[in-house]
């Protein structure tokens, strides 16, 4: 049997290490904790079917990423008493709103869990592992290192001497903090882009937020470039630093360009393929934000960084396929209206460039891992 499921998630705050929470619901039969799941409906894309299950079972809506994060197996009891193995593909759902009333609210309980709590609450070992690996917290905790010189100074109580000694040391810059700050702006802009393309609330508010986030990112990249010029010792090669932050900035620049096109042409309805690409962008931004703190110790976190970049590259390929299908469908639908087709094609172009830029981020990270892991 093949089934689909949604993993509804939200982030508590906007910090780079903000904890991720996932929503579980109780099953109707046994009352155990599960994720919203169901059978694949004929003609419905799997990720949209998963989103429908999440809305019906958990009363949450949001952007469902078309690229699954993995799969798990469990035995499903049929009405005739048979227990058959089911393979379940899991699609991340970035929750944007919770419904006050939903279809199965009288049949199920819903609750937000931390990743650790959710992993312990579900019965399926594969699903438990999938949940544990979803968020960045356990990796970020290991990624942040304490400066050994500071530890020695603290233990020896040589704070005044240490302060004098620090002034003599070559400057190493605050590149990691800047990478992480930029990743926060990308994630926030991607969330606003998702709300814009879902049609949640006045479009002007979402467009304005994207513009503001892009301005924040401009300030960060300027500081990175200034710091590169002033710094004697850098954690990576200077070209790697500028290429990485440049690729990140390209992503948010294209988010701004997409929002500007929506504003300029007063677009208020969006094709399903557009929303699917935006859902991929939301999840890709989340993975980018997870990767940044891991760069603090590339040797230790090389395996996880490679896992993240491999997923980012795969998502970009999936986005390319969706882009081509969307442009093809728009050409057929708007063949007699050249202006509508040109507007749709321009929006698709900017969305594709966002995923291309995030793939470039993945490639830059891979280069750093190869050089330093």
């Amino acid at each position: 049997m093949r089934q689909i499921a949604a993993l509804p998630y939200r982030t508590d705050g906007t910090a780079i290490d903000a904890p991720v929470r996932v929503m579980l619901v109780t099953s109707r039969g046994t009352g155990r904790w599960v994720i919203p799941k169901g059978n694949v409906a004929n003609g419905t894309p799997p990720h949209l079917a998963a989103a429908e299950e999440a809305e019906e079972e958990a009363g949450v809506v949001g952007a469902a990423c078309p690229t699954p994060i993995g799969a798990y197996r469990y035995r499903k009891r049929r009405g005739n008493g048979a227990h058959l193995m089911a393979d379940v593909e899991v699609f991340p759902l970035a929750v944007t709103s919770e419904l006050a009333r939903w279809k199965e609210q009288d049949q199920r309980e819903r609750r937000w869990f931390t990743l650790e709590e959710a992993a312990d609450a579900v019965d399926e070992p594969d699903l438990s592992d999938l949940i544990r690996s979803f968020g960045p917290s356990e990796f970020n905790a290991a990624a942040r290192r304490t400066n050994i010189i500071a530890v020695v100074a603290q233990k020896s109580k040589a704070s005044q001497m240490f302060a004098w000694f620090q002034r003599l040391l070559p400057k190493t810059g605050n590149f990691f903090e800047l990478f992480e700050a930029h990743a926060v702006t990308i994630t926030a802009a991607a969330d606003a882009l998702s709300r814009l393309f879902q049609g949640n609330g006045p479009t002007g508010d979402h467009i304005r937020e994207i513009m503001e986030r892009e301005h924040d990112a401009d300030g960060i990249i300027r500081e990175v470039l200034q710091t590169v010029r002033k710094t004697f010792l850098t954690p990576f090669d200077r070209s790697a630093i500028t290429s990485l932050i440049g690729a990140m900035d390209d992503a948010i620049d294209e988010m701004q360009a997409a929002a500007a096109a929506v504003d300029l042409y007063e677009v208020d309805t969006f094709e399903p393929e557009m929303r699917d690409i935006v859902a991929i962008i939301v999840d890709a931004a989340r993975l980018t934000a997870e990767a940044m703190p891991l760069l603090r110790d590339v040797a230790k976190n090389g395996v996880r960084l490679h896992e993240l970049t491999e997923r980012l590259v795969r998502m970009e390929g999936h986005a390319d396929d969706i882009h081509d299908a969307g442009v093809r469908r728009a050409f057929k639908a708007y063949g007699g209206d050249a202006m509508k087709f040109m507007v749709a094609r321009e929006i698709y172009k900017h969305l594709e460039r966002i995923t291309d830029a995030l793939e470039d981020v993945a490639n830059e990270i891979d280069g750093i891992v190869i050089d330093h892991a």
Side-chain angles (χ1 to χ4, degrees):
M1 293 179 61
R2 178 172 175 248
Q3 292 187 310
I4 45 81
L7 183 64
Y9 74 92
R10 71 180 187 196
T11 303
D12 292 344
T14 58
I16 192 73
D17 55 355
V20 174
R21 292 183 180 273
V22 296
M23 178 175 281
L24 302 182
V25 297
T26 53
S27 65
R28 288 184 292 188
T30 62
R32 62 191 181 89
W33 290 106
V34 297
I35 58 177
K37 66 180 182 295
N39 298 320
V40 180
N42 291 333
T44 303
H47 67 290
L48 295 183
E52 291 174 1
E53 295 294 336
E55 183 173 351
E56 292 181 4
E57 297 183 10
V60 292
V61 295
C65 180
T67 306
I69 59 173
Y72 71 97
R73 307 188 102 188
Y74 80 105
R75 289 201 173 274
K76 180 177 177 63
R77 189 177 188 276
R78 303 298 297 268
N80 60 7
H83 289 74
L84 302 181
M85 188 67 74
D87 291 309
V88 187
E89 268 193 317
V90 181
F91 296 87
L93 177 76
V95 174
T96 55
S97 60
E98 299 179 41
L99 303 179
R101 295 195 59 80
W102 64 98
K103 184 176 180 179
E104 298 184 9
Q105 71 173 56
D106 296 328
Q107 305 170 44
R108 302 177 187 270
E109 179 186 351
R110 68 179 181 183
R111 186 186 305 172
W112 287 105
F113 291 81
T114 65
L115 294 179
E116 189 67 26
E117 292 168 346
D120 291 338
V122 299
D123 289 345
E124 299 82 2
D126 290 346
L127 177 58
S128 178
D129 292 342
L130 202 62
I131 292 173
R132 289 182 198 278
S133 67
F134 181 71
S137 56
E138 62 187 273
F139 302 99
N140 290 354
R144 297 181 180 277
R145 296 181 298 170
T146 302
N147 188 299
I148 188 63
I149 300 177
V151 172
V152 172
Q154 183 180 14
K155 289 183 178 298
S156 63
K157 302 189 183 303
S159 57
Q160 291 182 347
M161 179 64 72
F162 176 60
W164 171 81
F165 180 60
Q166 270 195 315
R167 287 193 291 271
L168 298 180
L169 286 175
K171 300 299 183 184
T172 57
N174 58 335
F175 294 105
F176 297 119
E177 289 82 356
L178 294 171
F179 290 152
E180 293 166 16
H182 201 294
V184 168
T185 67
I186 290 176
T187 304
D191 289 343
L193 193 70
S194 174
R195 294 192 298 272
L196 173 62
F197 276 73
Q198 287 180 40
N200 291 350
T203 59
D205 291 344
H206 306 314
I207 292 171
R208 179 177 177 180
E209 181 178 355
I210 294 168
M211 302 301 178
E212 291 174 350
R213 299 293 185 179
E214 194 275 336
H215 292 328
D216 293 341
D218 282 345
I220 294 169
I221 192 172
R222 281 195 297 270
E223 186 171 350
V224 170
L225 297 178
Q226 291 171 3
T227 305
V228 166
R229 291 195 297 269
K230 297 176 182 177
T231 301
F232 181 75
L233 295 176
T234 58
F236 315 123
D237 184 81
R238 282 173 167 76
S239 62
I241 292 173
T242 55
S243 296
L244 175 58
I245 199 68
M248 294 172 68
D249 207 55
D250 288 343
I252 198 167
D253 284 346
E254 288 299 334
M255 291 182 198
Q256 182 196 39
V262 170
D263 187 34
L264 175 64
Y265 300 117
E266 299 180 347
V267 181
D268 54 8
T269 57
F270 302 97
E271 305 297 330
E273 291 85 356
M274 292 179 183
R275 291 195 293 270
D276 286 349
I277 297 175
V278 171
I280 287 178
I281 290 168
V282 170
D283 205 39
R286 179 185 64 82
L287 297 180
T288 300
E290 178 179 346
M292 290 304 108
L294 303 183
L295 293 175
R296 293 172 179 265
D297 193 342
V298 176
K300 185 175 182 179
N301 301 306
V303 173
R304 178 59 176 176
L305 283 167
H306 180 67
E307 291 173 354
L308 296 175
T309 57
E310 185 177 37
R311 179 165 163 74
L312 283 167
V313 171
R314 183 159 56 96
M315 292 168 74
E316 190 277 337
H318 195 172
D320 279 349
D321 294 338
I322 296 172
H323 165 272
D324 294 345
V327 172
R328 189 179 302 112
R329 192 161 78 89
F331 179 75
K332 292 179 180 179
Y334 304 136
D337 192 331
M339 182 59 70
K340 281 188 177 180
F341 172 70
M342 290 173 63
V343 169
R345 186 176 62 177
E346 180 169 350
I347 293 175
Y348 275 119
K349 175 188 69 177
H350 292 303
L351 295 180
E352 182 189 31
R353 287 178 177 176
I354 298 169
T355 60
D356 288 345
L358 291 171
E359 182 191 29
D360 290 341
V361 172
N363 292 334
E364 294 299 334
I365 293 172
D366 269 340
I368 291 172
V369 172
I370 291 171
D371 289 341
H372 297 273

